[in-house]
Structure formats: structure tokens, C-alpha cells
Amino acid sequence: MRQYNNGGGLWGRLRGAGLGLVVLVFVAGIVFWGGFNTAMEWTNREAFCISCHEMEENVFNEYRNTIHYTNRSGVRATCPDCHVPKEWTHKIIRKIKASNEVWHHLLGSIDTPEKFDAKRLQLAQNEWRRMKANDSRECRNCHNYAYFDYSIQGRRSGRLHQSGFDEGKTCIDCHKGIAHSVPAVDQEIGIDRGGASPEVFHPPAQRQD
Amino acid sequence: MKTKSGILLLAVLAAAGLGLPLAASAADAVRSLRGTAVDQAAQQPGNYAVEKDHAPAAREYVQQPPLIPHKVDGYNITTNFNKCMDCHSWTRYRETGATKVSLTHFKDRDGKELSNISPRRYFCNQCHVAQTDAKPLIDNSFRKAEGLK
């Protein structure tokens, strides 16, 4: 006992310090994670997104006329629901990429309607590419097509959903412009405005399996 | 000078003489078919629901623009993009199962045939409309064209 106590003087202190360190790290961890997650949560709000006028004056105003803003049931999809992944790792990656937006905010890349219009096709294509690559994951967070009831969907919806999913299509293949106006699209009517080509707007289906 | 003021006097008299009875009889004689006074707002616009998607409706006369048999909420037509043509164009109709736009839509106002719809047919909703569950406001005696019965 004594020996243990004697030897334990240094050991005990070390152990105490170690324990203290563990506790300290633990507490710091909680604070860090808490603060980190709070920051993550805080930046995951519609109000945060539209705190930048680039986001508010163009895309937000258009979105206010769509079904995901107001509808009969009052269930909404907000900006991060469609644009920020829910899963942790995907979310972190998207947030890091989003620091690019702060940079372009400072540069003023899209700070006038004219600049926004000029860059819109590029921005939309970034989103289309992202959603196509992840099989429209954010849409599927809310809409699970395994539970689509084709008997009560509209004629056109039921028909195209069944044939579309068979061909390996994903939501964004058919539902572009669901929340905002689309950029110029090349439809061969009137003069050429350099819009998205048919291959971009209606890409061929890609089987995932 | 003299004739000018004379004409002016005549005009004022005529206006006073004609205008008064006209204003009075206007309120008496003109009746809105919808049963409300002409200077009042018509019936309160109701909250009508757009019909569910259904099969194309039969036409009432030969040159009738067919009614839209589906919902059109959120289908915007802008300079950038014509949502209707995303399903109804000759390049898209096979994939979407929609009726392809009529051949008559390709003619411009000089009668020239274009390779896609003419700009004067760009705004489809000018002629084609979706239906709601609203009842007709007044009775009428419209009948289907003989040949389409």
C-alpha cells in the first residue's frame, strides 16, 4: 500500500494530470463540436443564404413562386434542403466548397442582375452535374420514389416516372427548374441565345447498377 | 373672333344638354349579364381547383384551340425557356407522350413555313387554357358544331 502510495506520488500526479488533460480535451471537444455544429446549423438556414443579396434578389425571389415555398400542406423545402447534403461527410465537403461563394461574393462575380444572368448557365450546370452524380440525393431525402402511389399521381407523372426509373433516370433529369427560373435553353425557336444544349438539358440516362 | 366664341357656346350647351340625360340613362339601361351593377366589381373570384390531369377533351368546333388536359402550375414561358415546348415540340413529344404541336403553328405571319414554331405562337396560353371546376356564370345556348357531334 505504502509503496504504491509512494510510487504513486509522481504516477498519481501524472495520472491526475493525464486525467485532467483528458477531461480538458473532452470539454474542449464538446465546446468545439458544439460550436462547430452550431456554426454548421447556423449556416444551414434560409435566412443565412439570403443574407447575401446575390442569393436573395435572384434565386430566392423566383423560388417564392414555387411549390416548395408555399403549398397546401405547408411543408417546405428550404435552400439547404436541396443544396446542402444531410450526411456529415458530404455536408463538410459541400461547406468547404461553399467558401468559393464567399470569395466570389467579395469579387462581386454575380452582384448585378446582368452579371448573374451571364453566369447563370454555368452555376445551374454545376448544380445539375452535382445532382446527377449523386442520383438527386437531396430530392430523395424527402421524396422516396419507392413510395410513389402511381394510382393517385397524375397521368403524365405516373407514366413517365415508371418508364423513367426503368431507364435509370434520376429526378434532376426531368425536373430542372423546379425551384428557380432556368437559364437560357437552346430550343431552336427564334435566334440562338447560346443556351444549354439538348444534351445538357436532357442528358441520356445513366444506369447506376 | 365672334364666330369662334359662338361655336364654343354652342358646344358647351350641346355638351350640357346631351351629357346629362346620357349619364342618367347609362346607369339605367346598361346591365351586366352577371347581375351586378356595371360599376361594381363582378362576382368575387372563387378559389377554383384546376382539373386533375385527364385524357385530351373532345373539341367543340374545328378551329378550336384544344383545351389543356393537365395542370400548368409553374409552367413558365420566358425568353429563356418555353416549358410547353419542352414536352410538345417535335423533338420531344415521343419521349414525353405529348401531342406534338400542330403544323399550323409553324407558319409565320407572311405565310412562310419555319422549321420550328413561329414566334407568334410562342405564348401558348394566349389560346390554350387549362380548365377549373368553376361553373358557368350564366346560362348560354352554345352548341357543339354539327360535324363534331
Short mmCIF file of all heavy atoms in Angstrom, two decimals, chain A residues 99-150:
data_model
loop_
_atom_site.label_atom_id
_atom_site.label_comp_id
_atom_site.label_asym_id
_atom_site.label_seq_id
_atom_site.Cartn_x
_atom_site.Cartn_y
_atom_site.Cartn_z
N SER A 99 -16.99 27.87 -49.58
CA SER A 99 -16.15 29.03 -49.27
C SER A 99 -15.83 29.79 -50.56
O SER A 99 -15.56 30.99 -50.55
CB SER A 99 -14.87 28.61 -48.55
OG SER A 99 -14.24 27.59 -49.27
N ASN A 100 -15.90 29.07 -51.68
CA ASN A 100 -15.77 29.68 -53.01
C ASN A 100 -16.81 30.79 -53.22
O ASN A 100 -16.55 31.80 -53.87
CB ASN A 100 -15.93 28.57 -54.06
CG ASN A 100 -16.08 29.11 -55.46
OD1 ASN A 100 -15.22 29.82 -55.93
ND2 ASN A 100 -17.19 28.79 -56.09
N GLU A 101 -18.01 30.57 -52.63
CA GLU A 101 -19.07 31.56 -52.80
C GLU A 101 -18.73 32.86 -52.08
O GLU A 101 -19.04 33.95 -52.56
CB GLU A 101 -20.40 31.02 -52.26
CG GLU A 101 -20.93 29.89 -53.12
CD GLU A 101 -22.23 29.30 -52.58
OE1 GLU A 101 -22.99 30.04 -51.92
OE2 GLU A 101 -22.48 28.12 -52.82
N VAL A 102 -18.08 32.72 -50.89
CA VAL A 102 -17.68 33.92 -50.15
C VAL A 102 -16.67 34.71 -50.98
O VAL A 102 -16.74 35.93 -51.10
CB VAL A 102 -17.07 33.53 -48.78
CG1 VAL A 102 -16.66 34.77 -48.02
CG2 VAL A 102 -18.06 32.69 -47.98
N TRP A 103 -15.75 33.96 -51.57
CA TRP A 103 -14.71 34.56 -52.43
C TRP A 103 -15.37 35.32 -53.57
O TRP A 103 -15.07 36.48 -53.83
CB TRP A 103 -13.80 33.43 -52.91
CG TRP A 103 -12.77 33.79 -53.92
CD1 TRP A 103 -12.59 33.20 -55.13
CD2 TRP A 103 -11.76 34.80 -53.82
NE1 TRP A 103 -11.54 33.78 -55.79
CE2 TRP A 103 -11.01 34.77 -55.01
CE3 TRP A 103 -11.43 35.73 -52.84
CZ2 TRP A 103 -9.95 35.62 -55.26
CZ3 TRP A 103 -10.37 36.60 -53.08
CH2 TRP A 103 -9.64 36.54 -54.28
N HIS A 104 -16.31 34.67 -54.27
CA HIS A 104 -16.95 35.33 -55.40
C HIS A 104 -17.87 36.46 -54.96
O HIS A 104 -18.13 37.39 -55.71
CB HIS A 104 -17.72 34.31 -56.26
CG HIS A 104 -16.82 33.56 -57.19
ND1 HIS A 104 -16.38 34.09 -58.36
CD2 HIS A 104 -16.27 32.32 -57.08
CE1 HIS A 104 -15.58 33.21 -58.96
NE2 HIS A 104 -15.50 32.14 -58.20
N HIS A 105 -18.33 36.36 -53.71
CA HIS A 105 -19.11 37.47 -53.15
C HIS A 105 -18.22 38.70 -53.04
O HIS A 105 -18.60 39.80 -53.43
CB HIS A 105 -19.66 37.05 -51.79
CG HIS A 105 -20.40 38.13 -51.07
ND1 HIS A 105 -21.60 38.64 -51.51
CD2 HIS A 105 -20.10 38.80 -49.92
CE1 HIS A 105 -22.01 39.58 -50.67
NE2 HIS A 105 -21.13 39.70 -49.71
N LEU A 106 -17.01 38.46 -52.52
CA LEU A 106 -16.06 39.58 -52.37
C LEU A 106 -15.65 40.11 -53.73
O LEU A 106 -15.50 41.31 -53.94
CB LEU A 106 -14.84 39.12 -51.57
CG LEU A 106 -15.15 38.70 -50.14
CD1 LEU A 106 -13.90 38.18 -49.44
CD2 LEU A 106 -15.74 39.88 -49.35
N LEU A 107 -15.47 39.20 -54.69
CA LEU A 107 -15.10 39.62 -56.05
C LEU A 107 -16.25 40.32 -56.76
O LEU A 107 -16.04 41.04 -57.73
CB LEU A 107 -14.70 38.39 -56.89
CG LEU A 107 -13.33 37.78 -56.65
CD1 LEU A 107 -13.15 36.56 -57.56
CD2 LEU A 107 -12.23 38.81 -56.94
N GLY A 108 -17.47 40.07 -56.28
CA GLY A 108 -18.64 40.65 -56.93
C GLY A 108 -18.96 39.99 -58.26
O GLY A 108 -19.45 40.64 -59.18
N SER A 109 -18.71 38.67 -58.34
CA SER A 109 -18.88 37.97 -59.62
C SER A 109 -20.30 38.00 -60.15
O SER A 109 -20.51 37.97 -61.35
CB SER A 109 -18.47 36.50 -59.48
OG SER A 109 -17.16 36.41 -59.01
N ILE A 110 -21.30 37.99 -59.24
CA ILE A 110 -22.69 37.98 -59.71
C ILE A 110 -23.51 39.04 -58.97
O ILE A 110 -24.67 38.84 -58.66
CB ILE A 110 -23.35 36.59 -59.52
CG1 ILE A 110 -23.23 36.10 -58.07
CG2 ILE A 110 -22.76 35.56 -60.46
CD1 ILE A 110 -24.10 34.88 -57.77
N ASP A 111 -22.86 40.19 -58.68
CA ASP A 111 -23.57 41.15 -57.83
C ASP A 111 -24.52 42.09 -58.57
O ASP A 111 -25.10 42.99 -57.96
CB ASP A 111 -22.58 41.95 -56.95
CG ASP A 111 -21.60 42.76 -57.78
OD1 ASP A 111 -21.70 42.70 -59.02
OD2 ASP A 111 -20.74 43.43 -57.19
N THR A 112 -24.69 41.93 -59.88
CA THR A 112 -25.75 42.67 -60.57
C THR A 112 -26.58 41.64 -61.35
O THR A 112 -26.08 40.56 -61.66
CB THR A 112 -25.17 43.68 -61.58
OG1 THR A 112 -24.51 42.94 -62.63
CG2 THR A 112 -24.21 44.65 -60.94
N PRO A 113 -27.84 41.97 -61.66
CA PRO A 113 -28.67 41.03 -62.43
C PRO A 113 -28.00 40.64 -63.74
O PRO A 113 -28.10 39.48 -64.17
CB PRO A 113 -29.96 41.80 -62.69
CG PRO A 113 -30.02 42.84 -61.63
CD PRO A 113 -28.60 43.18 -61.28
N GLU A 114 -27.29 41.58 -64.38
CA GLU A 114 -26.66 41.28 -65.66
C GLU A 114 -25.55 40.25 -65.49
O GLU A 114 -25.45 39.29 -66.25
CB GLU A 114 -26.07 42.56 -66.30
CG GLU A 114 -27.11 43.57 -66.75
CD GLU A 114 -27.75 44.35 -65.61
OE1 GLU A 114 -27.13 44.40 -64.51
OE2 GLU A 114 -28.86 44.86 -65.78
N LYS A 115 -24.73 40.47 -64.46
CA LYS A 115 -23.64 39.51 -64.22
C LYS A 115 -24.22 38.15 -63.86
O LYS A 115 -23.69 37.12 -64.26
CB LYS A 115 -22.75 40.01 -63.08
CG LYS A 115 -21.84 41.17 -63.44
CD LYS A 115 -20.82 41.32 -62.32
CE LYS A 115 -20.19 42.69 -62.30
NZ LYS A 115 -19.42 42.90 -61.05
N PHE A 116 -25.31 38.18 -63.07
CA PHE A 116 -25.91 36.91 -62.68
C PHE A 116 -26.42 36.17 -63.90
O PHE A 116 -26.18 34.98 -64.07
CB PHE A 116 -27.05 37.13 -61.68
CG PHE A 116 -27.75 35.87 -61.28
CD1 PHE A 116 -27.13 34.95 -60.44
CD2 PHE A 116 -29.01 35.56 -61.78
CE1 PHE A 116 -27.75 33.77 -60.09
CE2 PHE A 116 -29.65 34.38 -61.43
CZ PHE A 116 -29.02 33.48 -60.58
N ASP A 117 -27.14 36.87 -64.78
CA ASP A 117 -27.66 36.25 -65.99
C ASP A 117 -26.54 35.65 -66.83
O ASP A 117 -26.66 34.56 -67.38
CB ASP A 117 -28.44 37.26 -66.84
CG ASP A 117 -29.85 37.44 -66.32
OD1 ASP A 117 -30.27 36.60 -65.50
OD2 ASP A 117 -30.51 38.43 -66.69
N ALA A 118 -25.43 36.40 -66.90
CA ALA A 118 -24.33 35.92 -67.72
C ALA A 118 -23.71 34.65 -67.15
O ALA A 118 -23.21 33.81 -67.87
CB ALA A 118 -23.27 37.01 -67.85
N LYS A 119 -23.74 34.50 -65.82
CA LYS A 119 -23.08 33.36 -65.21
C LYS A 119 -24.05 32.23 -64.86
O LYS A 119 -23.66 31.13 -64.47
CB LYS A 119 -22.35 33.81 -63.94
CG LYS A 119 -21.22 32.88 -63.57
CD LYS A 119 -20.28 33.41 -62.54
CE LYS A 119 -19.16 32.38 -62.30
NZ LYS A 119 -18.30 32.75 -61.19
N ARG A 120 -25.33 32.51 -65.02
CA ARG A 120 -26.34 31.58 -64.52
C ARG A 120 -26.24 30.18 -65.11
O ARG A 120 -26.37 29.19 -64.39
CB ARG A 120 -27.73 32.15 -64.81
CG ARG A 120 -28.81 31.21 -64.46
CD ARG A 120 -30.14 31.91 -64.30
NE ARG A 120 -30.76 31.36 -63.13
CZ ARG A 120 -31.88 31.81 -62.61
NH1 ARG A 120 -32.48 32.84 -63.12
NH2 ARG A 120 -32.39 31.24 -61.54
N LEU A 121 -26.00 30.11 -66.41
CA LEU A 121 -25.93 28.80 -67.05
C LEU A 121 -24.83 27.95 -66.40
O LEU A 121 -25.02 26.78 -66.10
CB LEU A 121 -25.68 28.94 -68.55
CG LEU A 121 -25.53 27.64 -69.33
CD1 LEU A 121 -26.75 26.76 -69.18
CD2 LEU A 121 -25.28 27.92 -70.80
N GLN A 122 -23.70 28.61 -66.13
CA GLN A 122 -22.58 27.89 -65.52
C GLN A 122 -22.94 27.39 -64.11
O GLN A 122 -22.69 26.25 -63.76
CB GLN A 122 -21.39 28.85 -65.46
CG GLN A 122 -20.09 28.20 -65.04
CD GLN A 122 -19.05 29.26 -64.70
OE1 GLN A 122 -19.07 30.37 -65.27
NE2 GLN A 122 -18.18 28.96 -63.76
N LEU A 123 -23.56 28.27 -63.31
CA LEU A 123 -23.93 27.90 -61.94
C LEU A 123 -24.96 26.77 -61.95
O LEU A 123 -24.87 25.81 -61.19
CB LEU A 123 -24.48 29.10 -61.18
CG LEU A 123 -23.55 30.31 -61.05
CD1 LEU A 123 -24.24 31.43 -60.28
CD2 LEU A 123 -22.24 29.94 -60.38
N ALA A 124 -25.97 26.92 -62.83
CA ALA A 124 -27.00 25.88 -62.90
C ALA A 124 -26.38 24.56 -63.31
O ALA A 124 -26.70 23.51 -62.74
CB ALA A 124 -28.08 26.29 -63.90
N GLN A 125 -25.46 24.62 -64.26
CA GLN A 125 -24.83 23.37 -64.71
C GLN A 125 -24.04 22.71 -63.60
O GLN A 125 -24.01 21.49 -63.50
CB GLN A 125 -23.93 23.65 -65.91
CG GLN A 125 -24.61 23.25 -67.21
CD GLN A 125 -23.72 23.52 -68.41
OE1 GLN A 125 -23.61 24.65 -68.85
NE2 GLN A 125 -23.10 22.48 -68.92
N ASN A 126 -23.41 23.52 -62.73
CA ASN A 126 -22.71 22.94 -61.57
C ASN A 126 -23.69 22.14 -60.72
O ASN A 126 -23.39 21.02 -60.29
CB ASN A 126 -22.10 24.04 -60.70
CG ASN A 126 -20.90 24.69 -61.37
OD1 ASN A 126 -20.34 24.14 -62.30
ND2 ASN A 126 -20.53 25.86 -60.88
N GLU A 127 -24.87 22.72 -60.46
CA GLU A 127 -25.86 22.04 -59.63
C GLU A 127 -26.41 20.80 -60.35
O GLU A 127 -26.60 19.75 -59.74
CB GLU A 127 -27.03 22.97 -59.29
CG GLU A 127 -26.86 23.81 -58.03
CD GLU A 127 -26.30 23.06 -56.85
OE1 GLU A 127 -27.07 22.37 -56.16
OE2 GLU A 127 -25.09 23.19 -56.57
N TRP A 128 -26.71 20.94 -61.65
CA TRP A 128 -27.23 19.78 -62.38
C TRP A 128 -26.22 18.64 -62.32
O TRP A 128 -26.58 17.49 -62.11
CB TRP A 128 -27.49 20.14 -63.86
CG TRP A 128 -28.62 21.11 -64.04
CD1 TRP A 128 -29.64 21.32 -63.16
CD2 TRP A 128 -28.84 21.98 -65.16
NE1 TRP A 128 -30.50 22.28 -63.67
CE2 TRP A 128 -30.03 22.70 -64.89
CE3 TRP A 128 -28.17 22.22 -66.34
CZ2 TRP A 128 -30.55 23.65 -65.78
CZ3 TRP A 128 -28.68 23.15 -67.23
CH2 TRP A 128 -29.86 23.86 -66.95
N ARG A 129 -24.93 18.96 -62.52
CA ARG A 129 -23.89 17.93 -62.51
C ARG A 129 -23.83 17.27 -61.14
O ARG A 129 -23.76 16.06 -61.02
CB ARG A 129 -22.54 18.57 -62.86
CG ARG A 129 -21.64 17.65 -63.65
CD ARG A 129 -20.35 18.34 -64.07
NE ARG A 129 -20.52 19.49 -64.93
CZ ARG A 129 -20.17 20.74 -64.62
NH1 ARG A 129 -19.62 21.01 -63.44
NH2 ARG A 129 -20.35 21.72 -65.47
N ARG A 130 -23.88 18.10 -60.09
CA ARG A 130 -23.79 17.57 -58.73
C ARG A 130 -24.96 16.63 -58.44
O ARG A 130 -24.79 15.54 -57.92
CB ARG A 130 -23.80 18.74 -57.73
CG ARG A 130 -23.41 18.39 -56.31
CD ARG A 130 -23.46 19.62 -55.41
NE ARG A 130 -24.81 20.15 -55.25
CZ ARG A 130 -25.71 19.66 -54.42
NH1 ARG A 130 -25.42 18.63 -53.67
NH2 ARG A 130 -26.92 20.18 -54.34
N MET A 131 -26.17 17.08 -58.81
CA MET A 131 -27.35 16.26 -58.51
C MET A 131 -27.40 14.99 -59.36
O MET A 131 -27.82 13.94 -58.90
CB MET A 131 -28.62 17.08 -58.73
CG MET A 131 -28.78 18.20 -57.70
SD MET A 131 -30.36 19.01 -57.83
CE MET A 131 -30.18 20.29 -56.58
N LYS A 132 -26.96 15.12 -60.60
CA LYS A 132 -26.93 13.95 -61.47
C LYS A 132 -25.96 12.91 -60.89
O LYS A 132 -26.25 11.72 -60.83
CB LYS A 132 -26.48 14.37 -62.87
CG LYS A 132 -26.27 13.25 -63.85
CD LYS A 132 -27.56 12.91 -64.56
CE LYS A 132 -27.32 11.80 -65.59
NZ LYS A 132 -28.58 11.21 -66.03
N ALA A 133 -24.80 13.40 -60.41
CA ALA A 133 -23.77 12.49 -59.91
C ALA A 133 -24.22 11.78 -58.64
O ALA A 133 -23.86 10.63 -58.41
CB ALA A 133 -22.47 13.25 -59.66
N ASN A 134 -25.02 12.45 -57.80
CA ASN A 134 -25.42 11.77 -56.56
C ASN A 134 -26.86 11.26 -56.65
O ASN A 134 -27.51 11.07 -55.61
CB ASN A 134 -25.19 12.68 -55.34
CG ASN A 134 -26.08 13.90 -55.34
OD1 ASN A 134 -27.14 13.92 -55.98
ND2 ASN A 134 -25.68 14.93 -54.62
N ASP A 135 -27.33 11.03 -57.85
CA ASP A 135 -28.67 10.47 -58.07
C ASP A 135 -29.73 11.31 -57.34
O ASP A 135 -30.62 10.78 -56.70
CB ASP A 135 -28.68 9.00 -57.57
CG ASP A 135 -29.92 8.26 -58.04
OD1 ASP A 135 -30.66 8.80 -58.89
OD2 ASP A 135 -30.16 7.14 -57.53
N SER A 136 -29.61 12.62 -57.44
CA SER A 136 -30.56 13.57 -56.83
C SER A 136 -30.81 13.25 -55.35
O SER A 136 -31.94 13.22 -54.89
CB SER A 136 -31.90 13.57 -57.57
OG SER A 136 -31.73 13.58 -58.95
N ARG A 137 -29.71 13.04 -54.64
CA ARG A 137 -29.83 12.61 -53.24
C ARG A 137 -30.69 13.53 -52.39
O ARG A 137 -31.49 13.09 -51.59
CB ARG A 137 -28.41 12.51 -52.65
CG ARG A 137 -28.35 11.95 -51.24
CD ARG A 137 -26.93 11.93 -50.73
NE ARG A 137 -26.31 13.23 -50.98
CZ ARG A 137 -25.02 13.40 -51.31
NH1 ARG A 137 -24.23 12.37 -51.42
NH2 ARG A 137 -24.54 14.60 -51.51
N GLU A 138 -30.51 14.86 -52.58
CA GLU A 138 -31.26 15.78 -51.72
C GLU A 138 -32.77 15.71 -51.98
O GLU A 138 -33.55 15.82 -51.06
CB GLU A 138 -30.75 17.22 -51.89
CG GLU A 138 -29.50 17.51 -51.07
CD GLU A 138 -28.27 16.77 -51.59
OE1 GLU A 138 -27.93 16.97 -52.77
OE2 GLU A 138 -27.67 15.98 -50.85
N CYS A 139 -33.15 15.51 -53.23
CA CYS A 139 -34.58 15.34 -53.52
C CYS A 139 -35.09 14.09 -52.82
O CYS A 139 -36.16 14.08 -52.21
CB CYS A 139 -34.86 15.19 -55.02
SG CYS A 139 -34.04 16.36 -56.09
N ARG A 140 -34.29 13.03 -52.91
CA ARG A 140 -34.73 11.75 -52.37
C ARG A 140 -34.75 11.75 -50.85
O ARG A 140 -35.39 10.88 -50.24
CB ARG A 140 -33.86 10.62 -52.91
CG ARG A 140 -34.11 10.38 -54.41
CD ARG A 140 -33.34 9.21 -54.95
NE ARG A 140 -31.89 9.41 -54.95
CZ ARG A 140 -31.04 8.82 -54.15
NH1 ARG A 140 -31.47 7.93 -53.25
NH2 ARG A 140 -29.75 9.08 -54.21
N ASN A 141 -34.09 12.71 -50.19
CA ASN A 141 -34.21 12.83 -48.73
C ASN A 141 -35.67 13.02 -48.34
O ASN A 141 -36.09 12.62 -47.26
CB ASN A 141 -33.40 14.02 -48.21
CG ASN A 141 -31.93 13.68 -48.08
OD1 ASN A 141 -31.56 12.51 -48.02
ND2 ASN A 141 -31.08 14.70 -48.03
N CYS A 142 -36.43 13.70 -49.18
CA CYS A 142 -37.84 13.93 -48.88
C CYS A 142 -38.77 13.07 -49.72
O CYS A 142 -39.79 12.61 -49.26
CB CYS A 142 -38.22 15.39 -49.10
SG CYS A 142 -37.46 16.52 -47.94
N HIS A 143 -38.43 12.89 -50.98
CA HIS A 143 -39.31 12.14 -51.90
C HIS A 143 -38.71 10.76 -52.12
O HIS A 143 -37.68 10.65 -52.78
CB HIS A 143 -39.36 12.80 -53.28
CG HIS A 143 -39.92 14.19 -53.31
ND1 HIS A 143 -41.26 14.44 -53.44
CD2 HIS A 143 -39.33 15.41 -53.26
CE1 HIS A 143 -41.47 15.76 -53.47
NE2 HIS A 143 -40.31 16.36 -53.36
N ASN A 144 -39.36 9.73 -51.60
CA ASN A 144 -38.86 8.38 -51.84
C ASN A 144 -39.72 7.72 -52.91
O ASN A 144 -40.89 7.43 -52.69
CB ASN A 144 -38.92 7.58 -50.54
CG ASN A 144 -38.23 6.24 -50.68
OD1 ASN A 144 -38.18 5.68 -51.76
ND2 ASN A 144 -37.71 5.74 -49.58
N TYR A 145 -39.11 7.49 -54.08
CA TYR A 145 -39.96 7.01 -55.17
C TYR A 145 -40.44 5.58 -54.97
O TYR A 145 -41.35 5.14 -55.66
CB TYR A 145 -39.30 7.19 -56.55
CG TYR A 145 -38.01 6.46 -56.79
CD1 TYR A 145 -38.00 5.13 -57.13
CD2 TYR A 145 -36.80 7.14 -56.71
CE1 TYR A 145 -36.81 4.47 -57.36
CE2 TYR A 145 -35.61 6.49 -56.95
CZ TYR A 145 -35.62 5.15 -57.28
OH TYR A 145 -34.43 4.50 -57.52
N ALA A 146 -39.84 4.88 -53.99
CA ALA A 146 -40.36 3.54 -53.67
C ALA A 146 -41.78 3.64 -53.13
O ALA A 146 -42.53 2.68 -53.16
CB ALA A 146 -39.45 2.85 -52.66
N TYR A 147 -42.13 4.83 -52.62
CA TYR A 147 -43.46 5.01 -52.04
C TYR A 147 -44.38 5.85 -52.91
O TYR A 147 -45.40 6.32 -52.44
CB TYR A 147 -43.35 5.60 -50.62
CG TYR A 147 -42.62 4.68 -49.69
CD1 TYR A 147 -41.26 4.82 -49.45
CD2 TYR A 147 -43.30 3.62 -49.07
CE1 TYR A 147 -40.58 3.94 -48.63
CE2 TYR A 147 -42.62 2.74 -48.24
CZ TYR A 147 -41.26 2.91 -48.03
OH TYR A 147 -40.61 2.03 -47.21
N PHE A 148 -43.98 6.10 -54.14
CA PHE A 148 -44.89 6.81 -55.06
C PHE A 148 -46.12 5.95 -55.28
O PHE A 148 -46.01 4.76 -55.56
CB PHE A 148 -44.21 7.02 -56.43
CG PHE A 148 -43.37 8.28 -56.52
CD1 PHE A 148 -42.65 8.55 -57.69
CD2 PHE A 148 -43.29 9.19 -55.49
CE1 PHE A 148 -41.87 9.71 -57.80
CE2 PHE A 148 -42.52 10.35 -55.59
CZ PHE A 148 -41.80 10.60 -56.75
N ASP A 149 -47.31 6.53 -55.17
CA ASP A 149 -48.55 5.81 -55.45
C ASP A 149 -49.02 6.23 -56.83
O ASP A 149 -49.64 7.28 -56.99
CB ASP A 149 -49.60 6.13 -54.38
CG ASP A 149 -50.89 5.35 -54.60
OD1 ASP A 149 -51.05 4.78 -55.70
OD2 ASP A 149 -51.72 5.31 -53.68
N TYR A 150 -48.70 5.40 -57.83
CA TYR A 150 -48.99 5.80 -59.20
C TYR A 150 -50.49 5.89 -59.48
O TYR A 150 -50.90 6.55 -60.41
CB TYR A 150 -48.32 4.83 -60.19
CG TYR A 150 -46.81 4.90 -60.10
CD1 TYR A 150 -46.06 3.78 -59.84
CD2 TYR A 150 -46.16 6.12 -60.26
CE1 TYR A 150 -44.67 3.86 -59.73
CE2 TYR A 150 -44.79 6.21 -60.15
CZ TYR A 150 -44.05 5.07 -59.89
OH TYR A 150 -42.69 5.15 -59.78
#
